[in-house]
Amino acid sequence: MKFQFTVNFKDRRTNARLGEVLCGADEVDGDVSTLPTPAVLVPTSKGEHAVLTLDLLANVEKRLLSVLFYKRGEKLTIDETTRLFGTVVIGGHFVEKSGRGLKRIRDEEDGAKEKAGEDAEEERARAAHAHAEKGPPSQRLTVGHYRDSMYFGLNSQSRAATGIVCDTPFGQKSMTPEEYSRIWSGDAHVAIALADEHVGWESMKKSKTAAIRTCEWLDVCVRESKANDIPLWGVVLGGEFKDVRAECSKKVAERDEDLAGYVLGGFYAGETPSKRSELIECVIEHLPAQKPRYLPGVTTLEDIIDNIERGVDVFDATWASETASRGRAFVFPIRSEDVLDWDEETDEWNQPCATTGADAYSINIWSTAYKRDFSPFIDKTTRGDVCACPACTEHTRAYVHHLLQAHEMTSQVLLEAHNLYHLVSFFAEARRALRDGTWARFATFHRRYAASSRFVKAAATPATSAKNNQALEK
Amino acid sequence: SMPDPHGDPSWPQRKITNADAPPHDERTPPLSFEVLAVDGRARASVLALAHHDCRTPMFMPVGTQGSVKGLTSAQLLDIECQVVLGNTYHLGNRPGADVVAQAGGLRCFMNWPRATLTDSGGFQMVSLLDLADITEEGVTFQSPTDGSQMLLTPEKSIEIQNDIGADIIMALDDVVSSVTADRARFEEATHRTTRWIDRCIAAHKRPHAQSLFGIVQGGLDLDLRDVSLKGLLARGDNLPGFAIGGLAGGESKEDFVRIVAHCAVRLPENKPRYIMGVGYPLDLVVCTALGADMYDCVYPSRTARFGTALVPEGMLRLKSHSNENDHRPIEAECDCLTCKHYTRAQLHKIATKEPRAANLLTIHNLRYQMRLCSAMHTAIIEQRFGTFARDFIYKQFPSGDIPLWVRQAMEYAEIDLIR
């Protein structure tokens, strides 16, 4: 498996960087893909996007590539190898039935070590053959993870010293680092080391134990990664405690020559939000600059902006899927030019709407307000930019509203396609701003937008009330 | 070599509007049917509708509530679907005929550039019988969701269908479950269907744009069927096409074949013949042999959601353990997305478990039906339909244990089953 990361450009004022991941199947020359960073990974279920079939996923990417090429293409290098998002696949989803998989490996470990070595070799060979028959993985960067951000249950009771408990198609199973590492041959370009990830409010003592255990498991994962020839990303934990975080980060960074990247684990797991920023900064401080950093679980735009500025390269797109599963479509502006006549004072256009459940980032398509709304999710009259996703180009709010009310699955297909397109489009714009030197303007705009969307209006003056009443009467 | 989203006409569908439809001359009927070739009783034809020229035999996927479950309109185009069905009762309830009309009709509402057909709501008399009260005036349905009542009269059904705007609309018929033991009820339904057809014809406000099909009823009694046929044919000037209804319920396949064989050839040769609720691939071949042209059924899409794929040999249950290490596609000759990119082993892992699996199998099953109909069309034109049917049947029954109903049908069709 080929995996390579290069940092091409560093922002002057922040720690943000533009990079590129090159990945592909080793055997075939030229069969590689390029993923520009900061980038986003799409969540999957059993190796692929839960809802969107191959054609739709490719359609979303193709449309966005075309739009970028035609509208903003001058400084972008786009060719057939360019990808706009990667995928994160979950170890637990690939666990085989106990007859052949975990149980057998565990029995081998319990038995004679030499025999275990040979059988493990055989197991790997058989797995590799089976995977080879399936064909090479998609050329989209595929990162193997233990944490399923869509359904992540941080169950601290079932953590054992020997591994973690994860959801598999055959129920909950505990997995040791060895068992986990062997899942990845042929399925991923990069594997994330197994870590003892825990809830964010865990005590200092438990956070320390988990961090130490994680480093021990890292050694195991490094060994397995060399045997399986899969590049490895090390995970830094530490809970809410700066010193534990720093210590863990340094320890993991010591393994730098065996690692292809780093994961900031255990965030967005219930820790105190106000502490999160300094914890992330503290971890990154000790990580080498030339390797990619992945921060799973980030949801809000502000956080994405903040973390890009801290030097995070890879995020995940869970927010897009979560928003779609609630029947909501992203409508947030991507560039300041997308906002027409934005008056921060009155800000009528940006106000959350109690009657439809809209907020500044998405609209609630369940609302009966959309029953006869034959405009697309992102409507040219309220935004300066047209959305070229399959849902907006081909369908309307009224149609998707109807599909939701009728409990038709196509509603999820269209919402997921749109939300993914929009989020990936945001990342593309972030990269463009970094490249063009307009990052400060881009970041400021989004921070102001986020702040104004939470701004609680003071008691209405007569002037404001009159304007509001007029809007209601329309 | 990037496609231009703004200049390229093949760029994936922008939204269609009624303005895209060809300008229509009110004097010409919106349907024309030309039989290109006949082989035995089987016909290969072109059914030209305002929004698409269809080749028959033709299978029409069912999009009851305005979508074929899980698929987008673009995906339906990819599998070369020609006509999509919508349902008057369901769409009339939700979102309501007025919303669909305001969108510009069902085709604009679901952005389906080709043709559409709406069922009248008649079948709901059977499927929702517990919630239905049938009188001469019409059917009163009680909504299962909020208990509200809808009185579906022939006039109301046609009115909703006029609003939905499908190319082909169906008359409201008095449908009785084919396993009803009550002959009196069948008689009543047969005569009422004829009386209702007059009301449907009178209520139809858009005969220049939408074609009304009459439906032959009469249960499993050939005499009643003849009564129904006679009534329909007498009104032939107002009925551009005909359907055979009241089947595909719980009746025996032998009865099914008997009725289809009897009715199909008694319907005019120069008009399309639609058998409602059919069906399985084998049913399509048998009914085509007996002289039918159009079919609709939820089976291919429904069975897909339960993990079953249609293959020439019959059915492939992907959840079966035998597929666990089978690295072949569902069908090697199939050109659908699923067969091009997935193996049985991969589908085995996700069938019935992942939302996308339902879509992948639906895509295959519907594509299978489209390819089957296309193959029948070609075979009829090339005057080898008998061989085609025989080969198809033996593929499904390789040991020669062909069911009685299939053998009876081939007798009617004068297709020799001896190898």
Side-chain angles (χ1 to χ4, degrees), chain B residues 222-233:
Chain B
L222 289 182
D223 293 332
L224 285 178
R225 288 280 174 177
D226 280 336
V227 167
S228 187
L229 276 163
K230 187 170 169 203
L232 278 186
L233 295 176

Side-chain angles (χ1 to χ4, degrees), chain A residues 45-46 48-50 53-55 63 66 70 133 371-372 392-395 399 402 405 408-410, chain B residues 2-3 12-13 15 65-67 69-71 75 94-95 98 102 109 111 327 342 349 354 356 359:
Chain A
S45 183
K46 294 196 183 155
E48 291 183 292
H49 194 285
T53 47
L54 274 184
D55 55 333
R63 286 164 176 273
S66 291
Y70 276 94
E133 277 190 296
K371 189 169 182 183
R372 291 178 169 76
C392 290
T393 320
E394 297 169 18
H395 293 290
Y399 182 58
H402 161 68
Q405 295 281 349
E408 287 279 337
M409 204 160 67
T410 311
Chain B
M2 284 287 148
Q13 297 302 108
K15 278 186 280 291
Q65 303 202 78
S67 91
K69 288 190 174 16
L71 303 193
Q75 288 174 317
R94 183 173 59 185
D98 55 334
Q102 197 181 336
F109 188 56
N111 199 38
H327 300 292
Y342 292 84
K349 286 196 161 65
E354 297 288 322
R356 67 181 178 281
N359 298 349

Side-chain angles (χ1 to χ4, degrees), chain A residues 151-187:
Chain A
Y151 302 104
F152 188 36
L154 283 157
N155 193 343
S156 47
Q157 291 100 307
S158 10
R159 280 161 50 236
T162 51
I164 65 163
V165 175
C166 60
D167 285 320
T168 76
F170 307 101
Q172 291 213 320
K173 298 241 186 303
S174 60
M175 254 195 323
T176 64
E178 289 89 350
E179 288 162 351
Y180 167 80
S181 299
R182 287 180 200 160
I183 290 171
W184 296 121
S185 47
D187 282 312

Side-chain angles (χ1 to χ4, degrees), chain A residues 78-346:
Chain A
I78 289 184
D79 56 31
E80 297 75 43
T81 69
T82 306
R83 297 287 181 271
L84 294 179
F85 51 86
T87 60
V88 51
V89 294
I90 313 302
H93 295 170
F94 292 90
V95 167
E96 302 287 330
K97 284 192 199 139
S98 58
R100 208 154 58 79
L102 295 182
K103 185 170 180 298
R104 183 163 166 222
I105 294 176
R106 197 171 293 135
D107 287 344
E108 290 166 3
E109 304 289 356
D110 288 347
K113 293 283 181 183
E114 313 89 54
K115 185 168 189 299
E118 281 166 19
D119 283 350
E121 204 61 57
E122 207 181 86
E123 180 68 44
R124 267 189 225 111
R126 194 181 313 129
H129 177 68
H131 294 301
E133 277 190 296
K134 276 197 281 190
S138 86
Q139 286 317 321
R140 198 179 292 296
L141 169 68
T142 306
V143 177
H145 205 1
Y146 52 85
R147 169 178 170 173
D148 185 349
S149 310
M150 290 296 290
Y151 302 104
F152 188 36
L154 283 157
N155 193 343
S156 47
Q157 291 100 307
S158 10
R159 280 161 50 236
T162 51
I164 65 163
V165 175
C166 60
D167 285 320
T168 76
F170 307 101
Q172 291 213 320
K173 298 241 186 303
S174 60
M175 254 195 323
T176 64
E178 289 89 350
E179 288 162 351
Y180 167 80
S181 299
R182 287 180 200 160
I183 290 171
W184 296 121
S185 47
D187 282 312
H189 295 108
V190 163
I192 293 178
L194 192 68
D196 191 12
E197 200 155 328
H198 53 82
V199 293
W201 58 83
E202 206 57 273
S203 66
M204 158 81 92
K205 183 174 171 212
K206 286 204 173 139
S207 299
K208 257 192 183 154
T209 319
I212 292 168
R213 201 175 280 156
T214 296
C215 292
E216 287 168 3
W217 292 353
L218 180 57
D219 290 340
V220 176
C221 290
V222 164
R223 203 178 64 223
E224 290 289 334
S225 105
K226 288 180 174 154
N228 297 328
D229 192 27
I230 304 274
L232 188 67
W233 285 0
V235 180
V236 177
L237 292 186
E240 279 188 326
F241 305 98
K242 235 175 124 173
D243 43 353
V244 184
R245 283 274 177 190
E247 186 64 32
C248 188
S249 186
K250 284 184 213 157
K251 274 226 126 64
V252 172
E254 275 168 23
R255 292 297 218 150
D256 186 51
E257 17 171 78
D258 301 322
L259 297 178
Y262 297 91
V263 179
L264 285 77
F267 287 113
Y268 299 96
E271 74 278 10
T272 314
S274 55
K275 290 191 184 171
R276 192 184 297 143
S277 314
E278 57 171 8
L279 291 167
I280 291 177
E281 275 156 20
C282 155
V283 169
I284 291 188
E285 200 186 335
H286 302 286
L287 296 178
Q290 73 279 11
K291 302 251 166 93
R293 295 90 171 247
Y294 172 32
L295 176 57
V298 183
T299 50
T300 65
L301 284 197
E302 286 171 285
D303 277 359
I304 295 175
I305 300 264
D306 288 346
N307 286 307
I308 290 179
E309 287 187 347
R310 293 184 189 123
V312 174
D313 306 293
V314 181
F315 300 83
D316 63 44
T318 315
W319 188 30
S321 291
E322 276 177 358
T323 308
S325 69
R326 291 161 57 215
R328 306 181 69 92
F330 279 151
V331 294
F332 59 85
I334 289 174
R335 307 168 303 152
S336 55
E337 294 92 321
D338 293 341
V339 179
L340 305 174
D341 308 324
W342 185 22
D343 181 347
E344 255 180 286
E345 261 300 300
T346 57

Side-chain angles (χ1 to χ4, degrees), chain B residues 147-284:
Chain B
S148 65
Q149 297 204 327
M150 181 214 268
L151 172 60
L152 194 66
T153 59
E155 291 77 14
K156 184 73 182 166
S157 172
I158 298 298
E159 184 192 323
I160 297 175
Q161 293 190 75
N162 282 153
D163 278 339
I164 294 172
D167 296 276
I168 297 174
I169 65 175
M170 306 304 297
L172 184 67
D173 47 346
D174 187 356
V175 194
V176 183
S177 164
S178 56
V179 295
T180 300
D182 184 356
R183 195 194 188 271
R185 175 72 187 108
F186 276 113
E187 252 194 273
E188 178 192 50
T190 307
H191 293 286
R192 181 176 288 151
T193 295
T194 311
R195 291 192 292 276
W196 279 4
I197 194 95
D198 288 331
R199 289 166 64 183
C200 288
I201 291 168
H204 187 16
K205 297 216 171 14
R206 309 184 64 229
H208 57 279
Q210 299 175 272
S211 305
L212 176 63
F213 278 32
I215 307 177
V216 181
Q217 291 295 340
L220 304 177
D221 184 317
L222 289 182
D223 293 332
L224 285 178
R225 288 280 174 177
D226 280 336
V227 167
S228 187
L229 276 163
K230 187 170 169 203
L232 278 186
L233 295 176
R235 290 148 176 88
D237 289 344
N238 290 305
L239 300 173
F242 299 97
I244 300 171
L247 292 175
E251 77 278 357
S252 75
K253 290 302 259 212
E254 288 75 27
D255 280 331
F256 171 79
V257 163
R258 183 169 55 89
I259 305 298
V260 172
H262 180 86
C263 296
V265 292
R266 285 165 176 74
L267 289 170
E269 274 178 3
N270 63 340
K271 291 185 177 176
R273 301 163 176 165
Y274 166 25
I275 310 202
M276 306 187 77
V278 169
Y280 287 53
L282 181 56
D283 297 334
L284 262 55

Side-chain angles (χ1 to χ4, degrees), chain B residues 123-146:
Chain B
F123 181 67
Q124 276 65 49
M125 274 188 248
V126 173
S127 62
L128 299 176
L129 183 57
D130 291 347
L131 302 160
D133 182 25
I134 306 163
T135 64
E136 183 65 24
E137 191 189 357
V139 192
T140 304
F141 286 108
Q142 185 178 48
S143 164
T145 49
D146 62 3

